[in-house]
């Protein structure tokens, strides 16, 4: 819990410092925009956390998100009356399929996750651009989408944005699985020591494959929600998103070397980095520093994690 507390304390510090410069940052509209923008990243971070806990990583999440976002737009071009639930399920299914490709190559073929997902990052992005080129449609705008679909992204329940509610439900469900179900606890065992996990009978390959499928499915859901929120999609949606997602997971206290961390921490990390991004222009910092902030946060979090682990080993020696 101390790891999550650190992210929460940093979040409060950034919010207070920014609110002192511009009180509107914490006004009703400011908070709504903040949660809306953080919701998609939080969904990606929850899926990524499941993988990182198993000592794996998925660098293709931005491309999967872009592919499903563009696919959602293509469904409405084919039939503007396509039911919203069909679009959501199709996006999630496409994301699961992409995750299954990654999982099969890692779990069955034994290729390192970093190599596999770096390759599929470009493969999925290439498919996205190829799709756009083959259909001659490089951008889908809101006027081609169903009103109910756009309402999914912009609507709210009792003042809470739909996207934030969906992210919260996913967070609770995945958190419950990791904490209370045997299959979830086995993911921590795999991340702590894969060989020991095999020796005690844990189906490491199947669990890792499932973790990739879950991460892909959540990336697919994030792509659909991105399309419903912004109402305009093209083949470049999600480009470069993987760095922010991995940074959010690590900043939120999930150990990059596996075996510890929570999805709550990953979601807090996503909220923290989104808040920092929103605070930069308020504090007079050019927006192009956003990537530098994400990278610096990632390096700082990994350094702190190694330092904490080193002290723990020293204390046990």
């Amino acid at each position: 819990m101390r790891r999550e507390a650190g992210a929460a304390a940093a979040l409060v510090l950034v919010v207070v410092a920014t609110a002192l410069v511009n009180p509107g940052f914490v006004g009703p509209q400011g908070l709504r925009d903040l949660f809306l923008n953080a919701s998609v990243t939080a969904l990606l971070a929850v899926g990524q956390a499941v993988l990182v806990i198993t000592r794996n990583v998925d660098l293709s999440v931005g491309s999967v998100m872009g592919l499903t976002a563009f696919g959602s737009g293509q469904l409405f071009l084919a039939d503007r009356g396509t039911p919203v639930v069909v679009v959501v399920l199709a996006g999630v299914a496409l994301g699961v399929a992409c995750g299954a490709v990654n999982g099969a190559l890692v779990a069955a073929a034994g290729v390192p996750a970093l190599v596999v997902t770096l390759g599929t990052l470009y493969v999925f992005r290439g498919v996205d651009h190829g799709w756009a080129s083959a259909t001659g449609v490089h951008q889908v705008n809101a006027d081609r989408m169903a009103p109910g679909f756009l309402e999914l992204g912009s609507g709210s329940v009792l003042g809470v944005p739909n996207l934030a509610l969906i992210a919260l439900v996913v967070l609770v469900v995945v958190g419950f699985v990791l904490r209370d179900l045997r299959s979830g606890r086995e993911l921590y065992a795999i991340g702590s020591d894969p060989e020991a996990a095999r020796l005690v009978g844990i189906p490491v390959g199947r669990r890792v494959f499932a973790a990739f499928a879950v991460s892909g499915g959540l990336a697919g859901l994030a792509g659909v929600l991105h399309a419903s929120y912004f109402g305009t999609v093209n083949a470049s949606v999600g480009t470069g998103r993987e760095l922010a997602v991995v940074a959010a997971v690590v900043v939120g206290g999930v150990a990059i070397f596996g075996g510890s961390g929570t999805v709550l921490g990953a979601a807090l990390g996503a909220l923290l980095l989104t808040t920092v991004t929103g605070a930069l222009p308020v504090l007079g910092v050019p927006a192009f520093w956003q990537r530098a902030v994400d990278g610096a946060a990632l390096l700082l979090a990994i350094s702190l994690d190694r330092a904490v682990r080193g002290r723990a080993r020293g204390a046990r020696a």
Side-chain angles (χ1 to χ4, degrees), residues 14-28 30-31 278-284:
V14 173
V15 169
V16 170
T18 310
L20 289 175
V21 176
N22 181 4
F25 188 74
V26 291
L31 291 176
L280 289 180
V282 177
L283 298 175

Side-chain angles (χ1 to χ4, degrees), residues 2-3 55 192 255-258 260 302-317:
R2 284 182 299 176
R3 292 169 181 263
R55 205 180 284 194
S192 296
I256 193 67
F257 305 106
S260 67
I302 291 176
S303 300
L304 289 175
D305 183 65
R306 287 190 66 90
V308 170
R309 284 174 175 255
R311 288 180 60 184
R313 282 196 295 269
R316 289 195 297 268

Side-chain angles (χ1 to χ4, degrees), residues 51 56-58 99-100 102-103 106 113 117 207-217:
L51 272 176
N56 286 287
V57 69
D58 185 356
N102 287 329
V106 173
T117 58
R207 293 286 181 264
V208 169
F209 178 84
F212 272 101
V214 169
S215 177

Side-chain angles (χ1 to χ4, degrees), residues 53-179:
I53 285 171
T54 66
R55 205 180 284 194
N56 286 287
V57 69
D58 185 356
L59 298 180
S60 70
V61 289
S63 297
V64 175
M65 172 189 161
L67 187 59
T68 58
F70 191 68
S72 301
Q74 288 284 358
L75 283 176
F76 285 116
L77 286 182
D79 181 1
R80 193 164 184 260
T82 304
V84 174
V85 66
V86 171
V87 177
V88 173
L89 292 176
V92 173
L94 180 56
V96 170
C98 293
V101 171
N102 287 329
L105 290 171
V106 173
V111 183
L114 186 66
V115 176
V116 168
T117 58
L118 183 60
T120 54
L121 180 158
Y122 292 104
V123 171
F124 296 149
R125 183 64 65 189
V127 171
D128 203 357
H129 283 282
W131 192 356
S133 179
T135 58
V137 177
H138 297 278
Q139 181 167 301
V140 183
N141 296 317
D143 61 338
R144 307 299 298 272
M145 298 180 183
F149 182 68
L150 298 174
E151 177 64 20
L152 174 66
S154 60
S156 61
V157 177
L158 300 176
V160 182
N162 291 341
L163 267 59
L165 287 174
I166 293 171
L168 181 61
V169 169
V170 169
L171 173 65
V172 171
V173 171
V174 178
F176 170 77
V177 171
L178 289 176
R179 188 189 63 188

